[in-house]
Structures are given as C-alpha cells and as structure tokens.
Amino acid sequence: MKGSEPWWPQELGQPSTSGGQNGMRYAFFPDKQRLLVETDGKLATYDSGDHRISGVSQSNGRAPSFTTQDGDVNVNDLKVVD
C-alpha cells in the first residue's frame, strides 16, 4: 500500500534526509544516530555514529555509500544494530 505512511518505525521520528534508487531506500535519523536501509524489502538498521549523512551514491550491484561531512562512507563500514 502506497500512501503517506512512513516506512520506518514511528519512534524514530522524522528523518533529516531520506531517498532511494534502484530498489534501495534509506532514511537517516541524526538524533538517534540511526540509518535505515531497505533493499529488496529487507530492512537493516545501522549505527551512524558521528556521521552526518546527507546523500547516497550507488554503483552497479555494490553496497551503497553515503555522503557525510567527512566524505563517503560505505554502508558495510557501519555497525548493524537490532
């Protein structure tokens, strides 16, 4: 169902940035230090630490990299949280 309902958990509040491309979407919550990434219907939550995420870049079949104040960070370099 497509609508105005957000796809992330309500307790995270509003993301400072969100978007998606190529079957992947993301939302970044700086106050909670959380990055949510959904790929092909599977949701993963990452600890963003001190990173301030402002965008994403993705190349063919590789894990997405996120633009931060310190340069690009690969999603695989972030810690997964439950």
Side-chain angles (χ1 to χ4, degrees):
M1 179 176 120
K2 290 272 189 214
S4 60
E5 277 300 297
W7 57 269
W8 52 81
Q10 293 289 342
E11 62 267 18
L12 289 175
Q14 281 297 109
S16 64
T17 185
S18 64
Q21 59 188 28
N22 305 334
M24 182 276 299
R25 60 184 176 175
Y26 75 96
F28 173 56
F29 303 87
D31 296 344
K32 305 268 198 278
Q33 294 186 321
R34 291 294 179 260
L35 171 67
L36 272 58
V37 179
E38 188 182 77
T39 308
D40 299 325
K42 289 173 55 179
L43 184 63
T45 303
Y46 298 91
D47 182 344
S48 60
D50 294 330
H51 298 299
R52 292 282 177 210
I53 292 167
S54 58
V56 65
S57 63
Q58 196 176 22
S59 42
N60 299 341
R62 293 219 307 269
S65 289
F66 291 89
T67 306
T68 76
Q69 78 279 17
D70 298 318
D72 288 350
V73 173
N74 189 290
V75 73
N76 293 330
D77 294 333
L78 297 175
K79 184 175 172 234
V80 176
V81 292
D82 294 327

